[in-house]
Amino acid sequence: MIRMNRPLHVIAWIHHGLGDVIMALPMLVSLDHQLPEGSRLTVLVKSVNEERLLQLVPWRCRVEYVNLGHYGTWDYRAVLRVGLMLRSRFPDVLIAPHASAGPLPPLFARLVGAPLSVGPKGPWRGLGFNHEVPQVLYQHKVEYYGEFARQVGLMGPLTTRIEITIREPEEQAAAQLLNVEGQNASRWIILAPGSSPVEIHKRWPAVRYRNLIERLGSLDSALRIALFGSPSEMPLLKELAAFIPSGR
């Protein structure tokens, strides 16, 4: 277990897509709140989209982002380059909830050289990580990711209250996109029901979204609903839009 009597350098390997990064945010924010003053947090992200989201959080620690830029492709060359770069910064802890299967993540952990490291439980993990977190059936990813920080004694209670700072130009652009000039943005519910083409099997059935939309609509007659997605998801969005009452 790590001692919290001095500033620490923690590396968080969060290199999955935007949805997984959002679900890792409670762990990262809880970690940020509980690390000693003067600590550093280095976050490995997949692309500029995830980095931009994390930049909206008012961090207490000094936060640095390493944009891997490989969109999930993780080969020996990238492992060697990034691992040795991080090793030169003398990290205390490596937290790797997004580590994939196979020998590359343990090799990466070895190269980083943090005295404490934690990854998902698996057949190769003992080669590089000194702590493992098993997946529990029906456990929400927010709680699952929180276990990684708890394993090494870096975190107590998990907060799900996340504050983000939106600049005025970005807020105006969002209002224009939604055509909500003069309306209370807090009365909007945003649904993003799609996925990448390779993860269609993870999507909720449309009937469940219909039930959700009906339940949300019953909470507040002024609540409005927006559907977000890519052009390839337009048929799904149109199907769900039919469930939204007129004017909502």
Side-chain angles (χ1 to χ4, degrees), residues 13 15-16 72 74 96-106 120 124-125 129:
W13 189 8
H15 76 294
H16 284 184
W74 196 233
H98 290 174
S100 56
L104 281 177
W124 296 92
R125 298 302 187 263
F129 297 101

Side-chain angles (χ1 to χ4, degrees), residues 86-198:
L86 293 173
R87 187 185 189 93
S88 69
R89 301 180 186 184
F90 303 103
D92 297 291
V93 184
L94 169 64
I95 298 176
H98 290 174
S100 56
L104 281 177
L107 173 61
F108 180 69
R110 287 278 185 182
L111 287 171
V112 171
L116 276 180
S117 57
V118 54
K121 187 175 180 61
W124 296 92
R125 298 302 187 263
L127 298 177
F129 297 101
N130 45 39
H131 291 271
E132 297 180 331
V133 176
Q135 284 193 292
V136 179
L137 190 64
Y138 301 125
Q139 183 183 35
H140 197 285
K141 279 189 174 181
V142 169
E143 289 291 340
Y144 172 63
Y145 293 154
E147 287 299 320
F148 285 79
R150 291 194 186 103
Q151 277 280 346
V152 290
L154 286 177
M155 198 182 75
L158 181 71
T159 179
T160 54
R161 186 175 181 84
I162 309 298
E163 294 184 8
I164 60 175
T165 303
I166 307 295
R167 296 179 302 175
E168 186 174 350
E170 294 164 336
E171 188 172 352
Q172 291 176 349
Q176 185 176 8
L177 176 66
L178 290 171
N179 190 25
V180 293
E181 291 295 333
Q183 297 188 47
N184 186 351
S186 66
R187 291 188 164 187
W188 278 80
I189 296 291
I190 309 298
L191 300 180
S195 66
S196 67
V198 298

